[in-house]
Amino acid sequence: MIASLLKRYDRQIPRYTSYPTAPQFHDGIDARTYAHWLSELGDKDTLSLYFHVPFCAEMCWFCGCHTKVSRRYDPIAAYVRHMLAEIDLVADAVTSSPPITSAHWGGGSPTKLEPDDFRRLMARARDRFVFAENAEIAVEIDPRTLTPDFTSAMREAGVNRASIGVQDFDSRVQSAINRVQSYELVRETARAVRAAGIDALNFDLIYGLPYQTVESIERSVDLAVSLNPNRLSVFGYAHVPWMKSHQKMIPDEVLPDNLLRFEQREALGARLVEHGYRQIGLDHFARPDDEMAVTLDEGGLRRNFQGYTVDDATALIGIGASSIGCLRQGYVQNHVPMKAYGDAIEAGQLPIARGVALSEDDRIRGSIIERLMCELAVDLSEYGGVEPWHAEMRALEPFEDDRIVRVIGSRIEVTELGRPFLRLICAVFDAYLAPEIARYSQAI
Ligand SMILES: C[S@@+](CC[C@H](N)C(=O)[O-])C[C@H]1O[C@@H](n2cnc3c(N)ncnc32)[C@H](O)[C@@H]1O
Ligand code: SF4
């Protein structure tokens, strides 16, 4: 049954961290558009900041992020100067005082920054924006690069959430992905971060990696859970060597096929549920008393470029190369190449490369897709009833026959069997999807 579903639905589908998705972004949206959009923010808005640090100590062969290895600090120091200048450029363009309710540091590895540079950047952000008293401030941590001084810098800057890249604990898997880090290192990292008062911890795990088996994954889950993270993000390895050439170090032959990936995903989820975690959306797990689980029950869970979030800010501002911002009017993305990003900043310009303005249809479809991604359900009565969605309802019929979806009047529910196929259901509402144009990673 599952094997036949996997075969039939083996398509490449976006992860829907935005709608429209990135392939729709175009260079007609530029620095001027962004400056105008920023000027329309008001005091009633709330802001979320995303800082991208595209540097790592070493390249993990599986990595799909915008990052590079830098052994010298000079390029990183120059990048920090550019980020500082970008904070100023953005702050100058915002004419009101919307509070920052959340800030997220991702990458790459923010822990690759000199602690004083992290302090400087946070100080500049606090200087130029008003942070809400209870703002969530989160940092992604590569345990191999975290130093005691960086941990102190995080404490001083008010960081209250950390996400640790764990991936897998099996040594054979770790060697095959060039990501060797011991259980003891992760344990010490979690201990040090908690000792600094940062007690909301997320771990990232990956399945679908070379040499993983159901048993090895269950062992990794048990080890991860022994460190008691509040949340876990569980990603299926996205193998896109045509976009990330270092992934060629992972030969196709050592990768599990779709059915094995599915079994690993199921085993991982089941083990986490046995340990008392709740599954959230496509790929998150949280303790039942965690804010993410509570927010899901209250209907407030959101999805953005960092995945699932409890952040309800009305605008997201991205700082750093490749960062994506989301405003009421549309999406913007900074230049991805570090040089183009730096050149724009040096010329005193907001470093926007592309973006997309939202039409009313985009907003409606984006909202339906977000509800499905978060709650696995949507009621079309909130979107004009089923009549305007005639074509989509027809497209859902094969999924209903396969018991992936249940339709009750105007309500569409993705079943537990359908959870792994969630992106496919969302794709029904994606007016742009043309698989021959964009190449995404596997849907499962
Ligand atoms: C920016 S990294 C996290 C912080 C830090 N750089 C680290 O690796 O510890 C973001 C996360 O994305 C996930 N990730 C990266 N490349 C991926 C890929 N190709 N497929 C699935 N997940 C991936 C990993 O779980 C990784 O921890
Ligand atoms: S997974 Fe994290 S540490 Fe590894 S290369 Fe990617 S961003 Fe860097």
Side-chain angles (χ1 to χ4, degrees), residues 55-67 69 107-109 142 144 167 179 246:
F55 298 100
C56 288
E58 254 186 275
M59 189 56 79
C60 310
W61 301 145
F62 65 85
C63 183
C65 306
H66 285 303
T67 190
V69 172
S109 301
D142 171 358
R144 300 166 306 166
Q167 325 308 353
R179 174 70 185 233
H246 54 260

Side-chain angles (χ1 to χ4, degrees), residues 104 136 138-143 160-167 186 189-190 193-194 198-205 224 227-235 272 277 280 283-287 290 292 306 308:
H104 186 107
E136 177 177 282
V139 178
E140 292 177 16
I141 291 175
D142 171 358
N160 44 29
R161 170 168 288 283
S163 178
I164 300 178
V166 173
Q167 325 308 353
V186 177
T189 303
V193 167
R194 285 188 170 120
I198 305 167
D199 53 7
L201 285 194
N202 178 82
F203 284 1
D204 289 343
L205 296 179
L227 302 175
N228 200 20
N230 311 63
R231 295 179 195 166
L232 297 105
S233 311
V234 171
F235 304 116
L272 282 170
Y277 287 86
I280 295 187
D283 51 17
H284 276 44
F285 291 82
R287 293 235 172 261
D290 183 88
M292 187 168 274
Q306 284 94 59
Y308 291 100

Side-chain angles (χ1 to χ4, degrees), residues 69-356:
V69 172
S70 182
R71 305 227 181 270
R72 289 183 309 123
Y73 197 73
D74 293 3
I76 306 181
Y79 183 77
V80 168
R81 283 196 296 279
H82 291 146
M83 284 180 99
L84 287 166
E86 191 186 359
I87 295 171
D88 286 336
L89 285 169
V90 171
D92 289 344
V94 179
T95 46
S96 52
S97 309
I100 307 284
T101 51
S102 108
H104 186 107
W105 286 79
S109 301
T111 41
K112 190 78 180 85
L113 293 175
E114 287 291 343
D116 278 345
D117 279 337
F118 179 77
R119 290 185 176 96
R120 218 169 275 136
L121 283 157
M122 278 302 293
R124 182 70 60 92
R126 285 191 183 275
D127 191 34
R128 298 302 313 264
F129 292 97
V130 185
F131 274 63
E133 214 172 292
N134 57 353
E136 177 177 282
I137 306 178
V139 178
E140 292 177 16
I141 291 175
D142 171 358
R144 300 166 306 166
T145 56
L146 184 68
T147 60
D149 193 13
F150 197 94
T151 309
S152 305
M154 289 198 293
R155 179 174 38 81
E156 292 156 24
V159 173
N160 44 29
R161 170 168 288 283
S163 178
I164 300 178
V166 173
Q167 325 308 353
D168 188 281
F169 283 113
D170 187 276
S171 58
R172 187 166 183 216
V173 176
Q174 289 193 356
S175 305
I177 58 173
N178 198 35
R179 174 70 185 233
V180 176
Q181 57 183 34
S182 65
Y183 170 75
E184 288 71 24
L185 178 67
V186 177
R187 187 185 62 201
E188 278 318 297
T189 303
R191 193 202 52 74
V193 167
R194 285 188 170 120
I198 305 167
D199 53 7
L201 285 194
N202 178 82
F203 284 1
D204 289 343
L205 296 179
I206 307 189
Y207 66 89
L209 292 171
Y211 307 117
Q212 279 179 322
T213 61
V214 162
E215 294 71 31
S216 79
I217 284 182
E218 285 174 345
R219 276 195 301 277
S220 280
V221 169
D222 292 349
L223 287 170
V225 168
S226 72
L227 302 175
N228 200 20
N230 311 63
R231 295 179 195 166
L232 297 105
S233 311
V234 171
F235 304 116
Y237 169 45
H239 189 56
V240 286
W242 57 89
M243 283 165 66
K244 299 280 169 189
S245 56
H246 54 260
Q247 289 189 349
K248 291 185 186 135
M249 299 298 288
I250 303 181
D252 293 355
E253 309 81 78
V254 295
L255 289 173
D257 64 16
N258 263 1
L259 188 56
L260 285 174
R261 273 174 77 94
F262 181 84
E263 285 169 7
Q264 293 178 356
R265 184 185 191 280
E266 290 294 292
L268 208 161
R271 196 69 160 200
L272 282 170
V273 169
E274 262 173 53
H275 281 296
Y277 287 86
R278 256 187 76 183
Q279 182 157 14
I280 295 187
L282 189 64
D283 51 17
H284 276 44
F285 291 82
R287 293 235 172 261
D289 58 351
D290 183 88
E291 199 185 351
M292 187 168 274
V294 175
T295 306
L296 172 66
D297 290 339
E298 290 169 353
L301 191 66
R302 305 290 309 273
R303 185 153 173 87
N304 70 11
F305 293 99
Q306 284 94 59
Y308 291 100
T309 176
V310 299
D311 175 21
D312 61 356
T314 58
L316 168 69
I317 289 182
I319 302 285
S322 79
S323 289
I324 294 179
C326 170
L327 291 102
R328 210 185 315 281
Q329 302 90 330
Y331 294 102
V332 284
Q333 182 174 27
N334 282 355
H335 290 287
V336 177
M338 218 93 73
K339 169 131 180 37
Y341 167 74
D343 287 350
I345 302 265
E346 303 250 333
Q349 283 168 8
L350 290 162
I352 299 302
R354 61 185 74 85
V356 64

